Amino acid sequence: DAQGHAVEDDPLPLRSSDKPPTDTKGSEFRRSLIIGGIVLLLIVLVVVGWFVNNRLRSGAPEIPPAISEPAAVAESSPSPAEMGTEAREGMSLNIEAVQDVWIVLHADGQRVLSGTMRAGEERSFDASEQFEFETIGNARGVTLSINGIELPPVGERGQVIRNRVFTLEDAGTLMRTQATSS
């Protein structure tokens, strides 16, 4: 320089072409691979969810009514008003869990039970018109009685029963059936 000092050469500023090369193709590939993996995982989850949902819906076959009567008796069945005082006053449902079961039960449209009953547990409910089991999980694990008359099993072990209704008319049929078989 003008004063006699030794000046070191300044390194040249880096130009964009002087930067170390980046692996843009590799990072784009990794990003695409991650996104593809996430999309694939979502597709698998949707498909599995669809199959499980369909299996649950179709896994509960149509269950014939537990109470059946010949057509001639059905045609001549008296109305609840014509039945004895027990039927007109309503009906009582007794549930006895012989195995662990889960139940959602409505009496006359009001939810009265929602949860698990353990083996050996027993519960009773009253209704004036009907009982509706929204769900009985492990259907063979429960014994049901209406007005003291035991019903046939409503399903098999491990089977889930949905939307099973017992009406006041069913209670009258049970009482008439019990009376004729005695």
Side-chain angles (χ1 to χ4, degrees), residues 114-127:
S114 178
T116 302
M117 288 181 65
R118 300 287 177 204
E121 192 175 340
E122 194 169 337
R123 304 276 306 262
S124 293
F125 303 93
D126 294 315

Side-chain angles (χ1 to χ4, degrees), residues 79-91:
S79 70
E82 298 170 328
M83 292 183 210
T85 52
E86 283 182 15
R88 275 186 298 200
E89 291 174 359
M91 54 190 190

Side-chain angles (χ1 to χ4, degrees), residues 93-103 113 115-125 133 136-145 150 154:
L93 171 70
N94 187 63
I95 304 171
E96 181 182 349
V98 293
Q99 298 173 353
D100 290 354
V101 294
W102 62 97
I103 295 176
L113 176 61
T116 302
M117 288 181 65
R118 300 287 177 204
E121 192 175 340
E122 194 169 337
R123 304 276 306 262
S124 293
F125 303 93
F133 286 94
I136 304 175
N138 188 16
R140 182 64 84 162
V142 67
T143 301
L144 304 175
S145 300
E150 187 173 320
V154 293

Side-chain angles (χ1 to χ4, degrees), residues 35-47:
I35 291 172
I38 290 171
V39 168
L40 182 62
L41 179 63
L42 289 174
I43 290 171
V44 168
L45 289 175
V46 167
V47 170

Side-chain angles (χ1 to χ4, degrees), residues 67-79:
I67 304 166
S68 60
E69 57 185 320
V73 174
E75 291 170 5
S76 64
S77 294
S79 70

Side-chain angles (χ1 to χ4, degrees), residues 153-175:
V154 293
E156 299 301 319
R157 181 181 179 155
Q159 184 179 15
V160 177
I161 302 296
R162 297 189 193 289
N163 302 318
R164 186 64 190 271
V165 176
F166 296 97
T167 65
L168 188 59
E169 184 177 323
D170 295 333
T173 302
L174 276 173
M175 292 185 321

